[in-house]
Amino acid sequence: MNSKVSSHYAASTACNAVRVTQEIVTGNKRKLYVESYGCQMNFADSEIVTAIMQKQGFDLTASHDQADVIFLNTCAIRDKAEQTIRRRLAQFNQIKNKKPGLIIGVLGCMAERLKTKLLEEEKVVDLVAGPDAYRDLPQLVQKVDGGHKAVNTLLSREETYADINPVRLNSNGVTAFISIMRGCNNMCSFCVVPFTRGRERSRNPQSIVQEAQTLFQQGYREVTLLGQNVDSYQWSPHTAHTEKEVIRKGAAAEMVNFAQLLAQVAQVHPDLRVRFSTSHPKDMTDDVLYTMKAYDNICKYIHLPVQSGNTRILQLMNRTYDRDWYLRRIEAIRSILGEACGVSSDMIAGFCSETETEHQDTLSLMEAVQYDFAYMFYYSERPGTLAARKYKDDVSLAVKKRRLAEIIAKQRAHSLAQHQKAIGQEYQVLIEGPSKRSKEYLQGRNSANKVVIFPEGTYQKGQYVTVRIKDCTAATLLGEVVAAA
Ligand code: SAH
Ligand code: SF4
Ligand code: F3S
């Protein structure tokens, strides 16, 4: 996988771009260049977009200079993410000045949020397509070819792109993402996702299992099941009907929940690791934890974003759990899966009206949980969200930044302490490829999602090895292979 792809398989929302670094040449006449921002779901969407465009006569280029069409698959989660994209659009604008036929399209969440505004404000944009409009891309491009601007930001209640075989981008050939659902029905007051991705819908489990089988046959050894809230995955053959109707018609037995889906994917092959992201603390059931326990190949790692350690703030955030409930979920993880299960989180510093004491509650919760890893942000007000409409964004930027720095410092210390505990331990590691630091080293991850680096020896990517840990940093474990499968 490209070095710009986060090595952590949580719903990473870092603002950095994932530029497609691979050429796909099949003799198609026109060339597409794709850049993705935001979370893994967006990245997985770019793989669907590429598949759709390839069918439509586009080869993939790794260089925007050679492109006939440039797609930016955008993120709207924080203001910073949108600023990054605006700067990038300005750069592409300059290229377009020299190459008038170039088509520039904005896809994804920022496209959905701003809709036609992007065409009006940013003269450089020719095409705008929201996350549920990708099947329409060929027609939209055609419209632009015909000299018009093109927009489709319709959200759907059904679209899951289940039948589209994604073109794997920047792939290491070992790990891949599988989208299992789209949208989000939670209304966390700070969050723009329900507006940009629409209503939650689950993808047909058969198509998910089939995708996992195909990946395994192609040599992949790890799949990450993706959704904004995977624990609320619920598929019924009668999704168009209400739940009551389904039960009355006796179809309940055919319904598939997340724990059942996990088991089905785990059964594809014992050598295929299964990960998932993201879990919502209000929905993560013991059933899921017992399923994880029952299958060795379901990785013992849970990304369980807390957002805040204070109950009043959690209420304002509309997270629908409180501090105690969250801590009880952590207890359940530890009692069912043991200490070896990795746990990570997302935290927001300086949400509306957060006091110093309430910020301290986040720090004390971190102390209680001892996360292995976390994505940490300061609050960024998003237009149209409940928080933007109801609460004042009244914590100053300086205070937000200072609180965030405290959260980051604590997490760094915890990550290092967790890693130090690993010294002397042995872990099964799936090799993903050369280490980013040195070609003489390989890297992979253990079940708990920790990055492990070790001398290359004669080992190959895609292979499972047992590594004894000898040293560590806050980000990685270093060791040597003691056994190979
Ligand atoms: N569905 C996932 C999160 C998706 S967004 C979940 O519920 O956990 C990823 C992370 O971005 C969130 O967990 C949150 O920590 C952060 N985030 C979302 N909106 C934000 C905002 N307005 N300001 C700062 N951080 C935000
Ligand atoms: Fe946003 Fe909350 Fe949905 Fe996550 S669960 S995507 S934070 S609304
Ligand atoms: Fe993902 Fe950003 Fe959209 S985090 S869902 S790409 S707003």
Side-chain angles (χ1 to χ4, degrees):
M1 196 168 277
N2 174 272
S3 63
K4 289 201 174 88
V5 180
S6 164
S7 58
H8 293 275
Y9 279 53
S12 150
T13 52
C15 297
N16 59 329
V18 177
R19 293 177 192 155
V20 172
T21 52
Q22 123 204 46
E23 307 269 338
I24 299 182
V25 182
T26 62
N28 278 333
K29 276 218 185 84
R30 299 174 84 187
K31 286 197 167 25
L32 169 71
Y33 172 79
V34 185
E35 224 168 79
S36 310
Y37 295 78
C39 62
Q40 275 92 352
M41 274 154 269
N42 232 25
F43 187 71
D45 278 3
S46 291
E47 300 188 324
I48 286 167
V49 166
T50 304
I52 292 170
M53 293 296 285
Q54 211 177 19
K55 256 199 172 152
Q56 212 53 40
F58 281 84
D59 274 352
L60 202 62
T61 173
S63 142
H64 52 69
D65 293 337
Q66 289 178 10
D68 301 296
V69 172
I70 292 177
F71 280 161
L72 288 184
N73 194 0
T74 63
C75 174
I77 200 85
R78 285 169 290 276
D79 187 51
K80 240 182 172 172
E82 292 199 1
Q83 294 309 330
T84 311
I85 288 152
R86 283 181 194 280
R87 279 196 300 277
R88 197 66 180 142
L89 277 174
Q91 286 169 358
F92 287 138
N93 199 358
Q94 287 175 353
I95 301 174
K96 195 177 158 89
N97 283 341
K98 289 179 224 141
K99 195 176 172 184
L102 178 67
I103 296 177
I104 297 176
V106 176
L107 320 181
C109 292
M110 190 177 166
E112 189 62 48
R113 194 179 84 73
L114 294 172
K115 302 189 169 67
T116 52
K117 271 193 209 148
L118 273 169
L119 296 178
E120 291 148 18
E121 282 174 30
E122 318 280 339
K123 297 269 180 311
V124 60
V125 177
D126 302 298
L127 179 157
V128 176
D132 288 343
Y134 298 148
R135 284 182 204 269
D136 197 25
L137 281 171
Q139 292 77 284
L140 295 175
V141 169
Q142 230 171 29
K143 208 169 159 193
V144 179
D145 285 339
H148 307 279
K149 300 272 178 189
V151 189
N152 185 344
T153 51
L154 286 176
L155 287 172
S156 156
R157 279 173 176 259
E158 288 103 37
E159 182 62 271
T160 59
Y161 301 110
D163 57 316
I164 293 177
N165 201 2
V167 172
R168 308 286 162 190
L169 299 175
N170 295 354
S171 171
N172 57 13
V174 180
T175 59
F177 299 121
I178 302 182
S179 285
I180 63 163
M181 58 208 291
R182 299 181 73 80
C184 182
N185 281 359
N186 297 319
M187 274 289 176
C188 302
S189 62
F190 53 80
C191 185
V192 78
V193 172
F195 303 94
T196 63
R197 297 238 152 202
R199 302 293 292 170
E200 183 183 287
R201 63 223 98 121
S202 298
R203 177 178 164 189
N204 184 328
Q206 275 173 342
S207 76
I208 297 169
V209 169
Q210 201 170 35
E211 190 170 331
Q213 279 165 342
T214 307
L215 284 164
F216 185 76
Q217 282 154 13
Q218 290 169 345
Y220 287 82
R221 291 295 174 263
E222 183 181 293
V223 293
T224 303
L225 308 181
L226 293 179
Q228 290 296 355
N229 180 5
V230 288
D231 302 272
S232 68
Y233 177 90
Q234 182 74 256
W235 191 83
S236 104
H238 307 276
T239 36
H241 302 279
T242 65
E243 210 164 296
K244 259 191 192 152
E245 271 178 292
V246 169
I247 291 163
R248 185 155 35 81
K249 285 182 182 152
E254 298 167 61
M255 284 165 81
V256 178
N257 66 20
F258 182 58
Q260 290 159 333
L261 177 74
L262 255 186
Q264 287 186 18
V265 178
Q267 283 160 21
V268 166
H269 198 284
D271 285 342
L272 183 71
R273 272 184 173 181
V274 186
R275 295 187 186 277
F276 55 89
S277 186
T278 299
S279 300
H280 194 298
K282 80 173 160 61
D283 296 317
M284 193 198 62
T285 60
D286 286 355
D287 229 18
V288 167
L289 299 178
Y290 285 116
T291 307
M292 289 174 76
K293 190 181 171 145
Y295 292 90
D296 282 345
N297 58 330
I298 302 182
C299 289
K300 306 300 179 274
Y301 169 67
I302 300 177
H303 184 59
L304 197 68
V306 68
Q307 314 298 359
S308 164
N310 175 269
T311 292
R312 188 187 73 91
I313 294 293
L314 286 170
Q315 247 161 17
L316 288 185
M317 287 177 162
N318 199 24
R319 288 290 286 182
T320 69
Y321 55 84
D322 60 15
R323 180 186 170 101
D324 284 349
W325 169 279
Y326 184 89
L327 288 172
R328 282 202 299 274
R329 294 323 294 146
I330 295 289
E331 263 171 43
I333 294 172
R334 301 259 152 92
S335 78
I336 296 168
L337 295 167
E339 290 296 318
C341 183
V343 180
S344 60
S345 190
D346 293 350
M347 257 88 69
I348 299 178
F351 186 63
C352 310
S353 78
E354 184 190 65
T355 65
E356 209 52 44
T357 325
E358 289 165 339
H359 161 62
Q360 291 297 328
D361 283 346
T362 298
L363 295 173
S364 75
L365 180 128
M366 292 172 74
E367 211 51 63
V369 177
Q370 299 281 321
Y371 292 112
D372 294 271
F373 179 81
Y375 294 100
M376 298 155 282
F377 316 97
Y378 64 75
Y379 174 58
S380 163
E381 186 177 85
R382 308 311 291 131
T385 56
L386 193 77
R389 285 182 278 127
K390 266 178 77 177
Y391 312 128
K392 230 174 137 200
D393 181 13
D394 54 1
V395 178
S396 72
L397 186 61
V399 170
K400 282 180 183 172
K401 285 188 172 169
R402 194 253 305 148
R403 289 182 188 168
L404 177 62
E406 288 172 13
I407 291 173
I408 291 173
K410 188 167 281 295
Q411 185 50 50
R412 224 186 136 68
H414 288 170
S415 294
L416 184 63
Q418 298 283 20
H419 278 181
Q420 277 162 346
K421 272 200 242 163
I423 293 175
Q425 305 280 331
E426 290 180 5
Y427 296 110
Q428 192 200 47
V429 172
L430 171 62
I431 306 177
E432 291 175 18
S435 150
K436 281 162 206 156
R437 290 191 193 166
S438 151
K439 278 208 171 126
E440 285 137 44
Y441 286 77
L442 290 171
Q443 77 169 46
R445 276 167 302 136
N446 70 1
S447 176
N449 209 32
K450 293 203 162 85
V451 176
V452 181
I453 294 175
F454 51 90
E456 179 181 37
T458 53
Y459 309 108
Q460 305 286 327
K461 69 175 185 178
Q463 194 180 357
Y464 287 100
V465 286
T466 306
V467 178
R468 181 178 299 134
I469 306 305
K470 298 174 79 179
D471 201 356
C472 73
T473 68
T476 50
L477 299 176
L478 301 143
E480 61 185 20
V481 176
V482 291

